[in-house]
Amino acid sequence: SFDRQHTTDSITNDAGELPTTLINDSGEAGIITTGEKHSFSIPGSHPRDSLTLGQGALFDLPHAFSLEAWFRPLPAAPGSYAMIVGKRYSNQYQLTWTSNGDGTIEFYVGGGDLVAHRNWASHVPTGHWLHIVAAYDAGVAEGPNQWLYLNGECVHETRNEVVLPHDQEALRIGQNTLLNLPGGVPAAWKEVAIYDQALPATEVRAAYQAKAPNGRIPPGTMWSVPLT
């Protein structure tokens, strides 16, 4: 949780471990404070701005995993991308945001095929805190085994037959997914979590509701964390 971090120099996980590495080409990437709340932010002006959360066996998850983030994108030029959380150029997993499609969340497992490997949600408004969970489970024998959740609801699911390779590359947030792209996305993160299992829908919704006002979300609405 970045809400517990006061300076970019000392960002760790909630157990006080997992030292992170910041790339701050813009000079503006880091912890920002709004009232008593803290978040990690990038201005979207430099594609290398990023925070490396770690790398190695801890994040090598070829069989099952979930990626969770409280993420707030701001408007960006068409064709702009940012890594919500994932491994750039990896055939294991990427959870990204793009301004294309009127604001689109993309979850890739096993490569870049837009159908076989991808979940997505388009027309997602900017300027709001979004609770995003992406999950995958190779052990599911039949039916969907890759899911994308937005604010507690499953917005896309698919059957992905890929056999994932092992991959111990760096896990990052913020970095433009393709560094040759000129566009970046101004964005902020309040929390990021990685699990070595696919969270069931009931747990995803409970995690979302636990941080909503009074733990309740009116049916059919999309709640987002207040900006202040």
Side-chain angles (χ1 to χ4, degrees):
S1 172
F2 295 109
D3 205 27
R4 304 176 187 179
Q5 314 289 339
H6 290 198
T7 67
T8 305
D9 294 337
S10 60
I11 294 177
T12 60
N13 66 7
D14 289 349
E17 303 166 343
L18 191 64
T20 56
T21 303
L22 174 68
I23 296 177
N24 185 13
D25 284 2
S26 67
E28 300 175 26
I31 299 295
I32 61 172
T33 302
T34 305
E36 297 182 353
K37 302 294 185 180
H38 306 280
S39 58
F40 176 76
S41 175
I42 59 172
S45 57
H46 286 68
R48 277 173 41 86
D49 278 1
S50 63
L51 191 66
T52 298
L53 303 179
Q55 66 184 92
L58 186 63
F59 304 111
D60 184 11
L61 302 170
H63 305 300
F65 60 85
S66 296
L67 312 174
E68 180 183 20
W70 281 98
F71 173 73
R72 187 184 72 187
L74 296 177
S80 299
Y81 286 82
M83 184 81 76
I84 300 172
V85 57
K87 302 177 179 182
R88 188 173 63 89
Y89 293 141
S90 169
N91 283 332
Q92 208 166 73
Y93 53 81
Q94 283 192 3
L95 180 60
T96 65
W97 170 273
T98 175
S99 56
N100 297 339
D102 193 26
T104 300
I105 302 164
E106 297 182 309
F107 173 39
Y108 288 97
V109 177
D113 190 292
L114 295 180
V115 177
H117 301 145
R118 176 176 175 255
N119 295 121
W120 71 92
S122 299
H123 307 290
V124 180
T126 57
H128 296 271
W129 285 106
L130 307 169
H131 182 242
I132 303 167
V133 174
Y136 167 78
D137 189 346
V140 175
E142 297 180 351
N145 66 345
Q146 181 178 328
W147 304 267
L148 177 63
Y149 299 87
L150 176 60
N151 291 344
E153 301 294 336
C154 183
V155 292
H156 196 274
E157 59 184 22
T158 190
R159 177 75 187 175
N160 189 343
E161 300 286 357
V162 68
V163 176
L164 290 182
H166 285 281
D167 187 328
Q168 299 192 8
E169 293 302 313
L171 181 74
R172 296 187 175 98
I173 64 174
Q175 191 173 68
N176 195 322
T177 53
L178 294 171
L179 290 183
N180 59 326
L181 294 175
V185 177
W189 291 254
K190 289 186 73 67
E191 292 184 16
V192 178
I194 298 93
Y195 307 87
D196 62 358
Q197 59 183 304
L199 296 177
T202 52
E203 291 189 23
V204 172
R205 184 159 182 81
Y208 171 59
Q209 289 178 325
K211 298 188 179 180
N214 302 319
R216 300 176 58 193
I217 300 95
T221 66
M222 185 173 71
W223 177 84
S224 61
V225 179
L227 301 187
T228 59

